[in-house]
Amino acid sequence: MKALRASWLLLRGGAHLLGGWWTIRTRFAKLTQAQREAEVQRWAAGFLRVWRIDLQVRGTPPAGGPLMLVANHISWLDILVMHAAGFCRFVAKSDIKGWPVIGTMATEAGTLYIERESRRDALRVVHHMRDALLRGEVVGVFPEGTTSDGRTLLPFHANLIQAAISAQSPVLPVALEFVDMRTGAISMAPIYIGDQSLGGSVWRTLTTPGIRAVVSYGAPQPPQGHERREWAASLRDDVAALRGPLAGSAKL
């Protein structure tokens, strides 16, 4: 029964994905930026509903920029979850740009791509992030640079934080968690780390009932008086505090 249910959800998710791609191809050019952002948020929330992932938002999603969001990184679902809670432009690894369908959608949603192994490319992306913040946009980053298991946080890299300092933009810490609704413990089903395959993570997610995605927003911090490395470490502590008592427990 689990396999049948997961297969049905996979088909429904594929249909929803293609529907979003079709909207981008046929309607996006006619929409204002605000309308595009609302459409992305609506589509992301719809995707979570299709796959029966509950969304809980704690705190206040940003109404507008300039603002940088810094969040912990657990899963391929993170960007969808944050889009469903409130639109922002993400910085994502360049591989995504070439993915069929998803790459087109990510690009049209305003994603900024980065070659994570290249310092020169990081500098280029920081300049683009600064420009986006100066235009009053909301930009989201995962300063860990890769995914973790959801129970602990990796160190926050400071290079992308420089964009907020250069643009004199506030930064908002955001904590992400996936919770087993039956037990209240951290759910490990959506994690995507190490040598795990994307397909395996998707299948675990679809065969595990009762997953809740929790997005916790902190308070925006002004950039004045901060140096990027010190600020990155402080923001990591803030994200860790937002995760609350669930951190450290897990449910497979």
Side-chain angles (χ1 to χ4, degrees):
M1 289 300 294
K2 277 188 176 183
L4 286 175
R5 173 183 176 273
S7 297
W8 171 239
L9 293 179
L10 193 61
L11 287 172
R12 292 187 62 199
H16 191 77
L17 188 66
L18 289 174
W21 177 82
W22 183 250
T23 296
I24 285 173
R25 301 288 292 184
T26 60
R27 291 185 51 212
F28 253 40
K30 305 172 186 177
L31 302 180
T32 66
Q33 183 59 34
Q35 290 171 330
R36 289 185 180 192
E37 294 175 5
E39 187 66 24
V40 170
Q41 185 173 1
R42 182 200 64 79
W43 181 87
F47 194 98
L48 295 182
R49 286 194 298 271
V50 165
W51 276 11
R52 301 178 186 178
I53 298 171
D54 186 64
L55 176 65
Q56 180 180 3
V57 177
R58 298 172 177 168
T60 304
L67 186 67
M68 179 185 288
L69 308 183
V70 296
N72 59 308
H73 199 10
I74 301 169
S75 171
W76 51 274
L77 273 171
D78 293 347
I79 290 178
L80 279 173
V81 168
M82 288 185 66
H83 271 325
F87 178 85
C88 67
R89 292 188 70 181
F90 275 100
V91 176
K93 62 181 182 179
S94 58
D95 304 26
I96 293 175
K97 189 175 183 179
W99 290 3
V101 181
I102 294 175
T104 299
M105 296 177 69
T107 298
E108 292 298 327
T111 300
L112 298 169
Y113 297 106
I114 182 172
E115 296 280 353
R116 292 202 179 272
E117 304 305 319
S118 170
R119 288 188 176 183
R120 179 175 296 181
D121 199 57
L123 182 60
R124 176 190 63 83
V125 172
V126 166
H127 288 322
H128 283 299
M129 291 170 61
R130 178 204 61 198
D131 293 344
L133 291 168
L134 289 173
R135 290 193 298 268
E137 298 180 18
V138 180
V139 178
V141 299
F142 299 115
E144 290 170 292
T146 187
T147 50
S148 66
D149 62 7
R151 293 175 292 185
T152 58
L153 297 183
L154 300 174
F156 276 18
H157 298 292
N159 52 354
L160 299 182
I161 306 298
Q162 181 61 46
I165 295 174
S166 298
Q168 287 295 282
S169 166
V171 174
L172 180 70
V174 183
L176 301 177
E177 295 167 294
F178 292 97
V179 179
D180 187 307
M181 294 170 62
R182 298 165 298 177
T183 66
I186 291 291
S187 173
M188 301 294 283
I191 64 170
Y192 179 37
I193 58 175
D195 59 358
Q196 293 180 343
S197 69
L198 177 60
S201 177
V202 170
W203 191 252
R204 283 197 311 273
T205 301
L206 295 179
T207 54
T208 303
I211 295 176
R212 170 175 289 153
V214 182
V215 186
S216 301
Y217 292 97
Q221 300 183 11
Q224 289 79 16
H226 285 297
E227 181 272 332
R228 67 180 185 178
R229 288 183 178 82
E230 163 269 322
W231 203 7
S234 174
L235 288 165
R236 180 185 181 276
D237 292 341
D238 294 333
V239 171
L242 285 170
R243 297 189 309 150
L246 292 176
S249 61
K251 177 67 177 179
L252 294 172

